[in-house]
Amino acid sequence: MKRHTCCFTFVFAFLCLTVIKVSASADPVPYFTYSLDKSSVSAGDFIKVQLIANQTADTAAGFRMAIDYDAAVFSFVRTETSAQIKSGTMYTNSTGNPIRSVYVCNVDHPTAPELSGNILSFVFQVKNNAPAGKANIGAHINDVCNYNAMRLDVSVNQTLTAVVNPPKEEPSDEASLASLQPYQGELIPPFSPDVYKYKLYVDSHVDSIEFSAAARDGGTVRINRKSLYKVGTTTPIIATVTSADKKVKTEYVITVFRGEKPVPVSNEEPDRLESETLPKGKASSQNQKTRKKENSVKTRQTKQAGKYAAAVPAEAGQEDQQAIQAAVQQPSYTNHSDRNIYVIGNQIPTFFIGMLTTVLCLMVGILLTFYLRIAPRK
């Protein structure tokens, strides 16, 4: 029984080793493989075709290779070798398509040097006018032999594919505004991309102003300030436009005119009523004060309008003058209603008292005259 068990074990082990050996020989480790360092490229990019060597029992001592490529997409630049490829052992002919290379190891050593990893790269550049889509590079190896000059059963043929992206659009060199709108007031003249100087009038209570602005063709806009100078002065605001390629700049200048504070003026009608109810001397004094106040107001308004007009350039047109008048807003009060005279405290007018006194004096004189005639003389 034990004898049969030992025989069975021996046969089973032999069969396992045979299966493992057959499986290993069915899927041998490849000597060489090719790969691309990137799968997607754009115009002007570099791409490498890399030759990868794998460690095997019988090291390759020599081989031939060929690289064919799409000449409408790629242009050959150079080859790059690792330190394992000694100087003088690799020869490349790049004058045609395909590119051909031959490797023969240094025979001064007793054995061929081991090759592993990325031992050789073919560098290509994508042309500027390369069409978008897929582009192929073919890699081939044959005539592989070992150090004893025995040909190895190795042949590699691979097609590598890279995706070429559409050409990149060049950034624009346009530096101009597409729109410019203040949040308060209106630009003079109305906005146009080709007009670079504007005027803007605001009331005295406006101490800052903002703009809605947009640039053309991907450019950027920067406005230098928001705050305004004191009332009655002008503030230059500059909108700087930079092109998308950062090479061109354009400035738009908005001169903001900030109005003077309005002068408060009281209604003159109560002054008239008060002057008419006062005695003559007081009324005259009050009228003089009123006239002085009116003259002072007119003088201040005239100075204000003159100062505001002086801030406007000489070439200002009718629209500017209208804007100045609207900003100054000179108040005007007129009242052409009939006058009313009021008697305060039921007082009798002076001329009526004089008439009564005169009549009374006349009557007393008449009575005295008659009395003196009638009285007897002694």
Side-chain angles (χ1 to χ4, degrees), residues 347-361:
Q347 296 179 0
I348 300 176
T350 305
F351 74 94
F352 189 66
I353 295 175
M355 292 175 61
L356 291 177
T357 304
T358 303
V359 172
L360 182 59
C361 291

Side-chain angles (χ1 to χ4, degrees), residues 124-370:
F124 293 88
Q125 185 175 23
V126 182
K127 293 183 177 180
N128 291 330
N129 57 349
K134 294 182 179 180
N136 296 328
I137 298 178
H140 314 277
I141 288 183
N142 53 21
D143 295 339
V144 181
C145 63
N146 62 12
Y147 192 77
N148 296 321
M150 294 180 58
R151 186 183 297 272
L152 302 177
D153 186 17
V154 176
S155 180
V156 179
N157 294 282
Q158 283 185 253
T159 300
L160 308 173
T161 302
V163 177
V164 180
N165 298 317
K168 298 178 181 178
E169 293 184 2
E170 293 293 332
S172 173
D173 60 354
E174 176 73 16
S176 63
L177 285 176
S179 63
L180 178 65
Q181 179 63 44
Y183 288 117
Q184 291 177 307
E186 296 292 337
L187 294 177
I188 301 175
F191 171 74
S192 173
D194 300 327
V195 178
Y196 303 102
K197 292 185 179 181
Y198 298 90
K199 303 181 187 71
L200 179 64
Y201 299 91
V202 297
D203 293 334
S204 60
H205 68 274
V206 179
D207 56 5
S208 65
I209 191 166
E210 296 186 29
F211 295 83
S212 172
R216 287 180 170 179
D217 298 337
T220 57
V221 185
R222 185 181 67 85
I223 298 177
N224 68 329
R225 64 181 299 130
K226 297 179 182 178
S227 60
L228 302 179
Y229 295 148
K230 63 182 181 179
V231 296
T233 61
T234 61
T235 305
I237 296 179
I238 302 175
T240 304
V241 185
T242 304
S243 61
D245 64 358
K246 310 299 182 185
K247 295 181 180 180
V248 183
K249 290 186 178 182
T250 304
E251 291 185 349
Y252 291 77
V253 181
I254 307 99
T255 303
V256 182
F257 296 84
R258 186 179 180 187
E260 291 274 6
K261 290 184 178 180
V263 179
V265 180
S266 58
N267 196 334
E268 64 179 355
E269 188 65 23
D271 294 338
R272 291 181 179 178
L273 296 179
E274 182 178 357
S275 64
E276 292 171 357
T277 57
L278 293 175
K280 186 174 181 180
K282 292 184 179 181
S284 176
S285 176
Q286 185 65 27
N287 289 336
Q288 291 178 357
K289 291 180 180 180
T290 302
R291 283 193 296 271
K292 288 182 179 179
K293 183 187 295 184
E294 291 176 352
N295 292 334
S296 176
V297 170
K298 290 180 180 179
T299 301
R300 292 179 64 182
Q301 291 176 349
T302 302
K303 290 182 179 180
Q304 174 182 339
K307 183 178 180 180
Y308 208 4
V312 181
E315 64 270 13
Q318 184 177 1
E319 294 182 354
D320 293 343
Q321 298 300 330
Q322 292 177 354
I324 293 173
Q325 294 177 2
V328 175
Q329 294 181 353
Q330 297 181 359
S332 177
Y333 299 96
T334 57
N335 192 335
H336 302 287
S337 60
D338 297 335
R339 294 185 177 182
N340 299 322
I341 299 177
Y342 297 90
V343 179
I344 301 174
N346 295 326
Q347 296 179 0
I348 300 176
T350 305
F351 74 94
F352 189 66
I353 295 175
M355 292 175 61
L356 291 177
T357 304
T358 303
V359 172
L360 182 59
C361 291
L362 290 174
M363 293 180 64
V364 170
I366 294 172
L367 291 176
L368 289 174
T369 302
F370 281 104

Side-chain angles (χ1 to χ4, degrees), residues 11-33:
V11 172
F12 179 79
F14 177 80
L15 292 175
C16 289
L17 292 174
T18 303
V19 171
I20 293 172
K21 183 178 180 180
V22 171
S23 177
S25 63
D27 189 17
V29 176
Y31 273 82
F32 301 103
T33 57

